[in-house]
Amino acid sequence: MTPEVIAYNTHAVTQAEAPKDWDDVLDPKWKGKVLIRDPIASGSMRAIFGAILARSIARTGNTAEGWDWLRRLDANTKEYVLNPALLYQKLGREEGTITLYNMPDIATLEQRTKTPVGYVIPASGTPLLVDAIALVKGAKHPDLAKQFYEYVSTPPALTEAAVKFLRIPARTDVSSDSLPDVVRQARTEVKPMPGDQKLLRDSLDTWMKYWDANIRNSRRGK
């Protein structure tokens, strides 16, 4: 399971100052301090943007509130960063101090490289992606593929992924005692943001094209 979080540079922003929920990132005090991974190419950002628009429909019956939210985020955004490596570098160098991204990657960045980053699990809820694997139909070696599939999804393999890469097991029979602190915390604190999955499947590509053509860089610096 991959929850989306609000991350920040811990040298520039204290834990008390960090945004606690999605709407807090729109505060004018973060103007020019937000780094965003290029949303068109990022599964994490597509999930966040889609969740904001779906939330708008659930609240009001249309996407207007969601588009306004994304315009306000654009106004606070310093840069749309091309890839994760650049995002990590710029966040670590305080070229921006706030970002939105997935929890395992941010936690691993801090653990492995000692980059000064922390994160907040949004209080109102967060998109919770479930990463998966599948067998390819017509594969040349289906028996080996099935063995690999069965191995990767076992509790020991999922525990190893949690320890080495801070991935959160979807299986409920993986003991929390064997998991790192940040994974145990996520298991108990992450509140999945409700969302209409069919709506997201049917609409997300269209929404992202609209954002790219009409909102990207329309409010930056204004």
Side-chain angles (χ1 to χ4, degrees):
M1 298 186 292
T2 304
E4 310 302 334
V5 295
I6 301 164
Y8 59 97
N9 181 295
T10 54
H11 284 173
V13 180
T14 67
Q15 186 177 16
E17 294 169 332
K20 301 302 185 291
D21 212 341
W22 301 112
D23 292 351
D24 297 338
V25 181
L26 307 181
D27 191 306
K29 71 181 180 182
W30 303 118
K31 191 175 186 67
K33 298 181 180 180
V34 179
L35 296 169
I36 296 293
R37 166 79 168 93
D38 182 16
I40 300 301
S42 169
S44 286
M45 294 313 306
R46 287 168 61 91
I48 293 169
F49 281 23
I52 293 297
L53 290 162
R55 182 182 72 173
S56 174
I57 292 174
R59 286 177 175 178
T60 69
N62 59 59
T63 55
E65 179 183 272
W67 293 125
D68 181 64
W69 194 98
L70 292 172
R71 290 187 189 94
R72 293 170 65 191
L73 178 66
D74 183 72
N76 277 1
T77 298
K78 180 178 183 179
E79 183 180 354
Y80 293 103
V81 185
L82 289 176
N83 58 57
L86 285 173
L87 176 65
Y88 304 155
Q89 290 175 6
K90 289 175 180 290
L91 187 63
R93 295 171 182 168
E94 298 182 35
E95 294 180 35
T97 57
I98 299 291
T99 193
L100 313 178
Y101 213 54
N102 72 75
M103 183 230 104
D105 284 1
I106 293 296
T108 302
L109 177 68
E110 191 279 331
Q111 183 184 76
R112 289 190 172 184
T113 69
K114 305 306 178 184
T115 300
V117 292
Y119 63 88
V120 175
I121 298 172
S124 66
T126 188
L128 183 60
L129 305 182
V130 180
D131 296 312
I133 60 172
L135 303 180
V136 177
K137 184 177 181 179
K140 292 182 180 179
H141 306 287
D143 291 339
L144 290 175
K146 186 174 182 180
Q147 288 179 45
F148 179 75
Y149 175 95
E150 295 294 345
Y151 164 72
V152 170
S153 60
T154 61
L158 291 171
T159 299
E160 185 175 11
V163 170
K164 290 185 176 180
F165 306 107
L166 304 181
R167 308 303 302 189
I168 306 168
R171 290 186 65 145
T172 58
D173 58 349
V174 177
S175 172
S176 289
D177 293 340
S178 62
L179 303 177
D181 289 344
V182 294
V183 176
R184 289 202 301 269
Q185 177 194 21
R187 270 185 147 190
T188 58
E189 294 186 12
V190 167
K191 177 182 177 182
M193 182 181 280
D196 184 331
Q197 296 305 309
K198 184 178 186 306
L199 171 68
L200 290 170
R201 285 195 304 272
D202 293 344
S203 306
L204 189 54
D205 285 345
T206 300
W207 287 346
M208 296 308 298
K209 289 176 183 177
Y210 181 89
W211 175 86
D212 194 36
N214 297 280
I215 295 179
R216 183 199 290 263
N217 296 326
S218 66
R219 296 280 298 276
R220 283 175 64 197
K222 297 179 182 178

